Amino acid sequence: MISIRDATLDLAGKRIVGPLDLAVSAGETVVLLGRSGSGKTTTLRLINALALATAGRISVLGRSVEEWDPVRLRRSIGYVIQEIGLFPHMTVAQNTGVVPRLEGWSRERIENRVAELLQLVGLPAEEFAQRYPAQLSGGQRQRVGVARALAADPPILLCDEPFGAVDPVTRSELQSEFVRLTRQLNKTVVFVTHDVREALRLGSSIVLLDSGRIVFRGSADEFERSDELAVAAMRDSL
């Protein structure tokens, strides 16, 4: 689904990330874990061509990101961010249906899809569809953000610390819902976090970045057993 081969990004003569080698298979949830400034978000941006690698090759669904039309590429990928980015003048239903409308779906198809997704994320349409973002809690807004990312049924989700701005109880609830949704819908996910507990809970595979390079990749069990110094330092944060 996603292939990163010997990719680097240099800005103003400085190496930001790389060289990176990473493959993400269908149905995986790969968590990019690391401290602030380790290159997690930049790696995510390389996947949907918000940043272009200086060298190497990045492919999504079998095509180099440079061969994709950028708009088509980004509409093929769901994107969930910490700030959510809901349009304040739009209702929950309108926010959720943004991409399907851009894709030219019929009104009936959009309404059915929005109702289905709001039910999936625990916000029944009859109660929440006509509310505005200002009428929602932080956790509810984040659920709408997840629903919007899923609206056009993209095979891939990119998530950049999506639960970092909510309280611990809500965050735990959102994590549980997220695991259920991604398994139920069989999505391929790349999830950025600096929270070790979140990584262990969500990831089928954990990738630890340090100074823009991958220093570990493995399962949660392998992460907990690893004697790699960078891994031990992250475990100590628990």
Side-chain angles (χ1 to χ4, degrees):
M1 299 294 279
I2 300 168
S3 173
I4 301 175
R5 296 194 175 188
D6 202 28
T8 60
L9 176 63
D10 298 331
L11 292 176
K14 180 181 178 182
R15 177 63 47 88
I16 306 301
V17 294
L20 297 174
D21 286 282
L22 178 66
V24 182
S25 300
E28 270 196 292
T29 296
V30 173
V31 174
L32 303 182
L33 176 66
R35 304 180 187 206
S36 297
S38 62
K40 307 183 299 297
T41 295
T42 301
T43 301
L44 213 63
R45 289 167 61 84
L46 289 171
I47 294 170
N48 67 359
L50 285 172
L52 294 176
T54 309
R57 179 179 174 86
I58 300 171
S59 300
V60 175
L61 301 174
R63 294 173 60 189
S64 167
V65 295
E66 295 183 359
E67 296 170 2
W68 277 88
D69 172 79
V71 174
R72 298 301 325 153
L73 172 64
R74 291 166 197 152
R75 290 187 189 174
S76 300
I77 297 173
Y79 201 39
V80 190
I81 58 176
Q82 181 172 328
E83 295 83 6
I84 312 169
L86 300 183
F87 298 108
H89 62 288
M90 290 185 180
T91 64
V92 166
Q94 290 168 335
N95 268 287
T96 303
V98 163
V99 175
R101 282 199 301 277
L102 292 172
E103 291 290 276
W105 289 23
S106 70
R107 181 176 178 179
E108 181 181 5
R109 186 183 177 193
I110 293 172
E111 288 177 351
N112 290 337
R113 180 62 173 166
V114 167
E116 174 191 7
L117 285 169
L118 292 180
Q119 188 67 41
L120 275 174
V121 299
L123 301 174
E126 58 270 20
E127 182 178 352
F128 291 95
Q130 298 310 312
R131 293 191 189 184
Y132 288 87
Q135 298 172 305
L136 304 176
S137 69
Q140 289 169 340
R141 288 195 295 271
Q142 197 56 266
R143 289 171 188 265
V144 176
V146 172
R148 182 178 61 183
L150 293 168
D153 199 22
I156 296 169
L157 286 180
L158 303 182
C159 304
D160 193 359
E161 301 201 52
F163 309 140
V166 296
D167 64 86
V169 174
T170 302
R171 184 171 188 162
S172 179
E173 292 172 349
L174 288 169
Q175 289 168 352
S176 297
E177 288 294 308
F178 188 80
V179 170
R180 178 185 63 81
L181 277 174
T182 53
R183 289 177 179 172
Q184 179 178 337
L185 301 175
N186 194 35
K187 297 301 180 184
T188 302
V189 181
V190 182
F191 190 106
V192 163
T193 186
H194 62 267
D195 186 299
V196 178
R197 287 186 178 87
E198 186 165 70
L200 294 172
R201 185 173 188 180
L202 301 184
S204 56
S205 180
I206 296 173
V207 173
L208 180 62
L209 287 123
D210 186 34
S211 301
R213 303 190 69 171
I214 295 171
V215 295
F216 170 87
R217 178 172 184 176
S219 67
D221 286 343
E222 289 168 334
F223 182 87
E224 292 186 301
R225 295 196 307 266
S226 173
D227 57 5
E228 167 66 44
L229 290 178
V231 174
M234 290 300 294
R235 283 201 308 263
D236 286 347
S237 70
L238 290 172

